Amino acid sequence: MIAAQLLAYYFTELKDDQVKKIDKYLYSMRFSDETLLDITKRFRRELASGLGSDTNATASLKMLPTFVRSIPDGTEKGDFIALDLGGSNFRILRVKVSHEKKQTVQMESEVYDTPEDIIHGSGTRLFDHVAECLGDFMEKHDIKDKRLPVGFTFSFPCQQSKLDEGYLITWTKRFKASGVEGMDVVQLLNKAIEKRGDYEADIMAVVNDTVGTMMTCGFDDQRCEVGIIIGTGTNACYMEELRHIDLVEGDEGRMCVNTEWGAFGDDGRLEDLRTEFDREIDRGSLNPGNQLFEKMVSGMYMGELVRLILVKMAREGLLFEGRITPELLTKGTIETKHVSAIEKSKEGLTKANDILSRLGVEPSAEDCVAVQHVCAIVSHRSANLVAAALAGILMRLKENKGVTRLRTTVGIDGSLYKMHPQYARRLHKTVRRLVPDCDVRFLLSESGSGKGAAMVTAVAYRLADQTRQIVKTLSEFRLTTEQLLEVKKRMRIEIQNGLSKSTQDAATVKMLPTFVRRTPDGSENGDFLALDLGGTNFRVLLVKIRSGKKRSVEMHNKIYAIPLEVMQGTGEELFDHIVHCISDFLDYMGMKNARLPLGFTFSFPCRQTSLDAGILVTWTKGFKATDCEGEDVVGLLREAIKRREEFDLDVVAIVNDTVGTMMTCAYEEPTCEVGLIAGTGSNACYMEEMKNIEMVEGDEGRMCVNMEWGAFGDNGCLDDFRTEYDHTVDELSLNPGKQRYEKMCSGMYLGEIVRNILIDMTKKGFLFRGQISETLKTRGIFETKFLSQIESDRLALLQVRSILQHLGLDSTCDDSIIVKEVCGTVSRRAAQLCGAGMAAVVDKIRENRGLEHLNITVGVDGTLYKLHPHFSLIMHQTVCELAPQCTVNFLLSEDGSGKGAALITAVGCRLREELNSK
């Protein structure tokens, strides 16, 4: 009968009147969106304080690093045990993750009681109890003989410095076992297991229940990067960028941070929002002044908040006609489950009547409506406060990712969220209002924190195995000082073979004489033409060199493309194209009638017989023009000029770009006697004593030798340093078996080495979820410029991911870390190998001159050296380490192949004049 009356009453104006009265009375518990956004702002400030090393100690949000660095990626597999200790029940699970057609999880679990005397006894007794329960579980499941990986959900605040340790900061939730605070709970459990001696367990991870929730949901949805518990207590965790977590070393990747947000406001930051009822709850709690946010929102305190409000309203005659009973005054008589029951839309008023009647207050229908509204205000405030704090985390994630719209998943668990009829809907609604630029999916954790601990362990297991295999794969690229000294020694042997007449034919490092006998002395003067052919572009330059007090070099140039069909056509077509470009340039400069001296930078291996004669040994860099190899390229150029019959030029010198680089730097720095190119290709030259160059007559003075060191190792002398990836890159190149040293250390090939390693790692399931994309199969897609970008210290992993996405590789944060490591390892080896070669050169010069110590400058050019963030530094360090008796300065060349060619021509003209005047 009363139910019918109540329902009829529900729709009367009196109800509205009563609701308004309550709204007015509890005005301070109702928040506008403006207030909620202000709370979000305060929360974000606290969050930042908790992450900072200087501010963490005084921050209310402790932002504890969990050392969980990765969410499940769908490739986890294995047999795991999970322990879940966090309340009066202790749960043990066996979790089997398998990969048949798709990833599946099988779980078996047992619940063990944790008696009060153990919760309040000694720590030793508590962990002996846990070890005993684990032993019983293993016995029942017949796995005592297996050493299975164990994940330990320990739902109390812990300080961690690695995944498999957790120092208890303080007990919560009625636990008070002595001798545990400040101790590593993993160590305590291990001791208890060892003491028994009847089984072994490998505890790989200790996690908080909030982290367990995130990981459980992360298994089902890989976008999940936030975990929230709203139950008896409340807490949240999320994946933070490692570079923002001051308490942990390193800045690569992400790590899950346990916010311990229940303590938000413990520093007084929420004082203006707390009501007299909140203060009374706090005064009567076990931990006054602590966990103030938790006391405003969690299930442990919600029923009590409602009871205190009802007592005050009754005292003021606003409820129950002023009746106050001993039951109403008794702490704990209204529980959160009662609040949930009263707020049910259909039978809520009936439930209110039943609950209040048990308290002896003889409620009227009006009282029931009022109490229902009190419950709604208290629970709605809780949902709003949680939404405001969660909005702070979501804004942080959005900012970290640098996206205009965040798409993410929040894993969520807890009795209040699950059981309360309106809570979830209110929370979702408020979050969407506060962060309209975030698409948030809320995913309910089905199997709680136990499965999550197993997932953390499974991920840890996967990562440990992955790390082992990655280290093994990359170990061949990590060269020791002894190995580098061996490379240096072998380079010295090959240098000698190239210089000696008896071994020169068979030598791989050809040590080609360039007939450049001097470096510039500053007296060079005149206008010179320079040609620069060394890749798909061809340059023509006019270089005006002025001597005297105001030495200067003025340059004008034009770039022309060389089409593929010309590169790979006939020699006549190639040189006709070159002369056509020269003709166009002379027209452009208005200099068709002048017979200018010309220097021809020809960046291919040539055997020179004089300064202006060079026989092409072999094409490289994709050139294949016929009838050129074995021919004098200066002769081919002169013939093409004759065929055109438009202009005449005085070809003074054929120049290698490496020599041009040395000459350019020598013009600025007289101690420069070595040239190095570390770019698309790799080569070196240096001033050798004439007496050592057996291929050229005469013993007086010095001559620059073009080493053509890219071919070092073509005789197999580097085979013990070459990896399977080097072999693959070589086999698929245009010139298999040739330029092996260059293929290990030049820009043209580093990206290909990286791409082959990434394919192998993807096949093994370490990268891109085991999916080899079409892009990754494409040769040449991974350009060396991407290595330089990926390895840049200024680049966050987010930008690394966007580079990989630009390449069509859908990568996770973990993928980006691995790719960055692979790039770093490959380019480091390249720099070290290049450094070992250079150490051999400078030591040879020192010994040539019979010096105890040599001071020398190396002129350097090349994109790899100039643009890669670490190449130059690693190379310098290697030279310094391997040639300790040499002080080597490196000077960056400004246009060696253009200005350098002109300088060689100028020096050639000067020497020619000197000879003629004798």
Side-chain angles (χ1 to χ4, degrees):
M1 184 66 195
I2 189 158
Q5 287 174 336
L6 283 169
L7 278 170
Y9 190 83
Y10 191 83
F11 297 101
T12 64
E13 280 180 22
L14 278 170
K15 176 182 183 281
D16 289 340
D17 203 36
Q18 192 70 347
V19 163
K20 279 177 192 156
K21 227 175 357 186
I22 302 289
D23 280 346
K24 202 171 171 188
Y25 191 79
L26 296 178
Y27 175 77
S28 59
M29 282 187 146
R30 296 170 66 82
F31 301 139
S32 67
D33 280 1
E34 198 181 342
T35 305
L36 291 174
L37 284 167
D38 182 52
I39 295 167
T40 299
K41 205 164 144 191
R42 299 181 204 186
F43 181 81
R44 288 197 67 187
R45 274 201 297 268
E46 272 306 289
L47 190 143
S49 295
L51 289 170
S53 53
D54 300 337
T55 45
N56 175 272
T58 53
S60 60
L61 296 181
K62 282 302 167 202
M63 306 300 287
L64 304 170
T66 65
F67 294 83
V68 170
R69 296 169 188 266
S70 177
I71 45 181
D73 72 351
T75 63
E76 290 75 19
K77 54 180 182 283
D79 199 348
F80 308 97
I81 286 177
L83 312 179
D84 188 358
L85 179 67
S88 50
N89 287 336
F90 168 54
R91 205 159 61 113
I92 302 180
L93 303 91
R94 182 183 184 185
V95 181
K96 286 185 194 172
V97 188
S98 62
H99 272 280
E100 295 307 309
K101 283 173 186 162
K102 65 183 183 70
Q103 203 176 30
T104 55
V105 178
Q106 285 175 287
M107 292 197 295
E108 302 161 347
S109 70
E110 301 272 343
V111 176
Y112 295 87
D113 196 35
T114 313
E116 284 289 317
D117 60 324
I118 285 180
I119 286 176
H120 297 134
S122 72
T124 310
R125 273 192 71 200
L126 174 65
F127 286 97
D128 283 349
H129 173 70
V130 172
E132 189 184 329
C133 297
L134 182 55
D136 175 75
F137 181 86
M138 292 174 97
E139 185 96 53
K140 279 182 185 166
H141 291 82
D142 198 26
I143 48 174
K144 257 193 168 171
D145 56 332
K146 293 183 181 179
R147 185 176 176 151
L148 294 182
V150 177
F152 186 11
T153 301
F154 188 73
S155 307
F156 304 93
C158 280
Q159 195 85 48
Q160 287 183 263
S161 64
K162 47 184 198 249
L163 188 60
D164 60 355
E165 71 166 31
Y167 289 87
L168 176 65
I169 296 169
T170 178
W171 282 119
T172 54
K173 307 177 199 172
R174 296 180 13 263
F175 272 70
K176 276 284 179 230
S178 61
V180 183
E181 289 181 347
M183 301 295 284
D184 175 12
V185 294
V186 175
Q187 210 175 355
L188 294 175
L189 180 54
N190 273 330
K191 266 187 196 163
I193 292 169
E194 278 167 30
K195 198 159 62 180
R196 289 176 61 84
D198 57 340
Y199 65 88
E200 286 185 334
D202 187 6
I203 301 169
M204 289 191 74
V206 57
V207 296
N208 175 284
D209 54 349
T210 321
V211 181
T213 295
M214 181 188 79
M215 293 298 271
T216 300
C217 296
F219 181 75
D220 299 315
D221 180 345
Q222 282 155 19
R223 284 188 190 277
C224 184
E225 50 193 343
V226 184
I228 291 185
I229 302 271
I230 313 166
T232 315
T234 185
N235 194 11
C237 68
Y238 73 99
M239 296 299 287
E240 177 58 87
E241 300 293 317
L242 203 51
R243 68 181 188 275
H244 295 150
I245 309 171
D246 287 358
L247 301 174
V248 179
E249 273 187 28
D251 53 11
E252 295 292 351
R254 302 199 299 168
M255 183 180 284
C256 179
V257 171
N258 165 19
T259 66
E260 288 295 337
W261 80 5
F264 176 40
D266 286 6
D267 56 355
R269 211 171 274 260
L270 296 178
E271 220 40 50
D272 55 325
L273 302 170
R274 291 172 72 228
T275 63
E276 59 184 292
F277 310 110
D278 295 309
R279 292 190 176 90
E280 199 171 333
I281 286 260
D282 181 43
R283 281 195 297 273
S285 69
L286 287 169
N287 55 348
N290 294 327
Q291 302 294 101
L292 297 183
F293 181 71
E294 184 168 81
K295 286 168 186 168
M296 292 169 85
V297 305
S298 80
M300 193 168 183
Y301 304 97
M302 194 175 281
E304 190 56 13
L305 265 173
V306 168
R307 188 188 69 80
L308 292 174
I309 294 166
L310 300 189
V311 168
K312 188 173 186 219
M313 288 181 77
R315 282 200 172 122
E316 291 176 16
L318 297 169
L319 281 178
F320 320 131
E321 295 175 348
R323 277 187 297 280
I324 294 172
T325 62
E327 288 86 352
L328 185 61
L329 291 172
T330 305
K331 189 176 175 179
T333 48
I334 297 181
E335 296 172 45
T336 300
K337 66 179 180 187
H338 298 143
V339 176
S340 296
I342 290 168
E343 283 195 68
K344 283 185 177 163
S345 51
K346 284 183 182 170
E347 69 268 30
L349 291 172
T350 312
K351 292 283 185 194
N353 186 65
D354 294 347
I355 291 159
L356 294 169
S357 297
R358 282 203 297 275
L359 296 175
V361 292
E362 299 171 28
S364 65
E366 203 173 357
D367 289 334
C368 292
V369 170
V371 169
Q372 189 181 51
H373 197 53
V374 168
C375 290
I377 287 173
V378 170
S379 64
H380 207 146
R381 180 184 75 154
S382 165
N384 279 342
L385 285 168
V386 169
L390 176 56
I393 289 175
L394 295 171
M395 285 176 186
R396 174 103 190 159
L397 284 172
K398 181 175 169 289
E399 224 168 74
N400 283 350
K401 293 184 181 194
V403 290
T404 48
R405 192 162 192 87
L406 176 73
R407 194 171 161 206
T408 193
T409 298
V410 174
I412 200 157
D413 202 356
S415 51
L416 183 57
Y417 180 86
K418 287 199 277 197
M419 303 301 182
H420 189 285
Q422 319 290 340
Y423 199 96
R425 187 181 54 81
R426 287 173 186 160
L427 173 70
H428 302 171
K429 209 171 161 186
T430 308
V431 167
R432 288 183 180 123
R433 258 195 347 267
L434 297 180
V435 276
D437 49 6
C438 297
D439 297 320
V440 187
R441 179 188 181 207
F442 290 88
L443 186 57
L444 191 61
S445 168
E446 292 302 336
S447 349
S449 48
K451 178 181 170 186
M455 281 300 122
V456 172
T457 309
V459 169
Y461 204 66
R462 166 175 66 80
L463 292 178
D465 185 47
Q466 191 173 293
T467 304
R468 266 195 307 275
Q469 300 221 39
I470 289 168
V471 165
K472 192 179 165 195
T473 301
L474 297 180
S475 62
E476 292 178 88
F477 287 88
R478 297 200 163 108
L479 303 175
T480 63
T481 305
E482 287 66 37
Q483 286 174 305
L484 290 168
L485 282 166
E486 185 57 35
V487 172
K488 176 190 169 187
K489 183 177 145 192
R490 294 180 197 180
M491 177 68 92
R492 279 296 297 270
I493 293 166
E494 293 304 310
I495 286 173
Q496 200 48 54
N497 288 343
L499 289 170
S500 304
K501 213 168 194 171
S502 59
T503 49
Q504 212 274 343
D505 270 356
T508 54
V509 178
K510 285 295 177 194
M511 305 298 290
L512 305 170
T514 66
F515 295 85
V516 171
R517 298 168 190 267
R518 304 263 176 86
T519 52
D521 65 2
S523 66
E524 293 74 24
N525 198 56
D527 292 355
F528 305 91
L529 210 56
L531 309 183
D532 178 11
L533 177 68
T536 49
N537 288 330
F538 166 63
R539 278 193 313 159
V540 187
L541 304 94
L542 174 68
V543 184
K544 298 182 175 190
I545 301 173
R546 300 291 175 262
S547 59
K549 281 182 183 173
K550 289 187 176 177
R551 281 197 324 172
S552 68
V553 177
E554 186 190 318
M555 293 196 291
H556 304 271
N557 75 82
K558 210 169 172 189
I559 296 172
Y560 300 90
I562 298 188
L564 190 66
E565 61 271 19
V566 174
M567 281 169 72
Q568 301 184 353
T570 67
E572 199 168 289
E573 284 167 351
L574 175 64
F575 281 90
D576 282 349
H577 178 73
I578 289 169
V579 171
H580 168 74
C581 297
I582 297 171
S583 173
D584 176 79
F585 180 77
L586 290 172
D587 278 338
Y588 171 69
M589 295 303 296
M591 299 184 78
K592 266 261 171 81
N593 300 322
R595 187 174 186 265
L596 293 171
L598 179 141
F600 185 10
T601 300
F602 188 75
S603 306
F604 302 92
C606 276
R607 191 180 302 286
Q608 281 183 256
T609 51
S610 66
L611 187 61
D612 64 348
I615 292 154
L616 175 63
V617 177
T618 177
W619 280 120
T620 57
K621 305 175 197 173
F623 276 73
K624 282 272 193 256
T626 58
D627 308 320
C628 294
E629 289 179 356
E631 297 293 325
D632 173 15
V633 289
V634 174
L636 295 174
L637 177 65
R638 283 175 178 148
E639 280 167 26
I641 292 170
K642 261 188 203 156
R643 274 197 301 275
R644 187 135 185 128
E645 294 181 340
E646 270 186 34
F647 53 85
D648 194 17
L649 295 169
D650 174 16
V651 186
V652 174
I654 179 166
V655 183
N656 177 280
D657 56 348
T658 320
V659 184
T661 294
M662 180 189 80
M663 294 294 270
T664 306
C665 293
Y667 187 67
E668 306 296 334
E669 172 51 66
T671 61
C672 179
E673 296 184 78
V674 185
L676 169 68
I677 299 280
T680 312
S682 183
N683 194 15
C685 68
Y686 71 98
M687 298 301 287
E688 178 57 271
E689 306 299 313
M690 278 293 289
K691 64 177 185 285
N692 295 335
I693 309 170
E694 295 181 11
M695 302 303 292
V696 180
E697 282 183 21
D699 285 350
E700 291 303 311
R702 294 175 187 152
M703 183 183 283
C704 180
V705 172
N706 166 20
M707 296 177 67
E708 288 298 337
W709 79 2
F712 174 40
D714 287 5
N715 58 0
C717 72
L718 288 179
D719 282 3
D720 48 337
F721 292 104
R722 292 170 76 225
T723 66
E724 59 177 291
Y725 309 106
D726 294 308
H727 285 285
T728 305
V729 168
D730 178 36
E731 282 158 19
L732 294 172
S733 69
L734 286 168
N735 55 348
K738 293 180 176 175
Q739 301 294 101
R740 288 179 179 176
Y741 180 64
E742 182 170 79
K743 284 170 187 168
M744 293 167 86
C745 63
S746 81
M748 191 170 184
Y749 302 97
L750 297 189
E752 263 307 278
I753 296 171
V754 167
R755 187 182 70 86
N756 279 284
I757 297 171
L758 299 187
I759 285 175
D760 190 39
M761 287 185 171
T762 308
K763 279 179 185 166
K764 290 173 181 168
F766 304 154
L767 276 176
F768 312 130
R769 300 185 183 92
Q771 306 295 309
I772 299 178
S773 66
E774 284 307 310
T775 315
L776 200 54
K777 290 178 194 166
T778 312
R779 275 181 57 208
I781 191 76
F782 211 95
E783 295 170 49
T784 299
K785 70 173 182 185
F786 294 129
L787 261 80
S788 297
Q789 288 168 6
I790 285 168
E791 287 187 67
S792 168
D793 294 329
R794 294 190 308 277
L795 219 58
L797 283 176
L798 205 65
Q799 289 154 297
V800 175
R801 279 179 79 176
S802 73
I803 291 168
L804 294 174
Q805 271 156 358
H806 168 70
L807 291 172
L809 303 168
D810 185 21
S811 70
T812 64
C813 189
D814 295 336
D815 291 337
S816 304
I817 293 171
I818 295 168
V819 169
K820 196 166 183 178
E821 189 184 353
V822 171
C823 291
T825 306
V826 170
S827 60
R828 183 179 184 81
R829 182 190 70 159
Q832 288 178 322
L833 285 172
C834 193
M838 187 47 65
V841 171
V842 293
D843 247 353
K844 170 95 170 70
I845 296 171
R846 183 183 63 78
E847 285 174 25
N848 282 349
R849 298 177 190 181
L851 296 171
E852 194 61 40
H853 194 90
L854 173 74
N855 274 320
I856 198 161
T857 298
V858 177
V860 200
D861 203 354
T863 47
L864 190 59
Y865 184 90
K866 285 199 278 196
L867 302 180
H868 191 281
H870 308 301
F871 186 94
S872 57
L873 184 64
I874 294 165
M875 194 195 80
H876 298 172
Q877 285 169 344
T878 308
V879 174
C880 189
E881 199 179 334
L882 303 185
Q885 289 169 273
C886 301
T887 300
V888 185
N889 298 305
F890 290 86
L891 185 61
L892 204 55
S893 158
E894 293 302 321
D895 193 19
S897 42
K899 184 175 167 182
L903 282 164
I904 291 169
T905 307
V907 171
C909 289
R910 194 187 82 213
L911 294 178
R912 195 164 62 181
E913 280 166 24
E914 282 173 18
L915 224 92
N916 293 342
S917 64
K918 277 181 184 177

